[in-house]
Amino acid sequence: MKTVYTCFCTDIIHEGHLNIIYEAQKLGKVIVGVLADEASIRYNRFPSVSLEERISLVKAIPGVDHVIVQNEIMYDKIFEQLHPDYIIHGDNWSLPSMQAIHKNILGLIKKYGGELIEIPYTYNKNIQELDRQMTEKLAMPEFRRGRLSKLLKMVPIVKTIEVHSGLTGLIAEKTVVVDGEAIDQFDAMWISSLCDSTEKGKPDIELVDMTSRFRTIEDIIEVTTKPIIFDGDTGGLTEHFVYTVRSLERMGVSAVIIEDKTGLKKNSLFGTEVQQTQASIEDFSEKIRAGKRAQLSNDFMIIARIESLILECGMEDALDRARAFVAAGADGIMIHSRKKEPDEILEFCDRFRLEDKDTPVVVVPSSFNTITEEELAEHGVNICIYANQLLRAAFPAMENAAKSILKHHRAKEIDSELMPIKQIITLIDEL
Ligand code: SPV
Ligand code: MG
């Protein structure tokens, strides 16, 4: 009896899948791989039902003989273990990620033997609608909010990119990079106070009020599904912070990070060049406790950001604060530095991890940007935030376009550097 293998990366079974099984049955014994969560996140989107439920869904399809978990998007382990006679797959190879998978399968067939059976990909109105419903579900506050804590258990490091508008949200949501056999995308989004303020032409001093910051969140939430980490600055007055927590939970934000500063907050990257005051451990711990008391859902996270290294108050102060803030109920610690080298951040992480193995650690490598995500993960970092890169990429590009038009008295010269209108329009989904 020949073996036929197919991999499903889906939360629902529709006629397209049934058709694949129908065709597979004609060829031999049908083994279906259910793509594991971690591989699914890199390649497609966050699953909206658990792996166990997905396995049950596939097991219930008539004609399926055996179900396994496919842990990686590429098929190397599958060929090594199963030596399938046939791989059956839809003929939807147009996306770069699909092309990489196609190439991988053909390479493995050359090495191990076997045959790729391609069947016409079914994508009718009905399936399109089911697909849309799945995405909508992922965007709902109840589903989205808890996704950061789930990700923390699933991936070595949560890759987070700054967003400050619907458009940058779309970039975070949709950008997928294929590098050989590696397929990657961002896991989460950071709504930076620096970028939200700068986008509005305002300084990063808590001048842009919460109502306006919430409007930015709404713009992003409306067009994305990935979890959101909100830069809550100092959190403001404790009496105000408790309301912010409730509002963020309601919107489906996954976490707020508040920093242990008081008075007029300035951006951390100014360090000691400007007057900035760190809050006392007692006062800031009380703010964390009040936020945790106010929180209604189980899965919202309040992360305490420690400014001791930024304000040159020393490593011991940073570690004392980390202990105190965790004891006050913080769901994570963010440690920040504006040094070019990551040494002090790594020292903090190593020492913190000696005494606390579990509390998630967040790092923002803006100044110490030579360090990789993998190195950070080795030192116990759980969330890496690229806090301002999209805004910094856009500003010089826009200024360059403005200068070129002024210089040439027309737009022709800059046109080749601009995204065609047609392409920019297709970025936007229509309902
Ligand atoms: C932000 O992005 O607004 C931050 C990170 O708070 S930093 O600018 O590095 O302080
Ligand atoms: Mg900020």
Side-chain angles (χ1 to χ4, degrees), residues 190-195 204 213 231-233 259 265 267-268 305:
W190 163 247
I191 304 189
S192 146
S193 67
L194 172 67
C195 298
D204 180 20
R213 304 277 325 269
D231 178 358
D233 287 319
E259 57 195 275
K265 186 223 81 150
N267 185 271
S268 298
R305 162 171 169 178

Side-chain angles (χ1 to χ4, degrees), residues 152-172:
L152 282 165
K153 294 189 192 92
M154 247 180 227
V155 299
I157 190 159
V158 178
K159 303 155 191 264
T160 306
I161 183 86
E162 169 265 315
V163 298
H164 53 265
S165 59
L167 186 63
T168 48
L170 284 177
I171 291 174

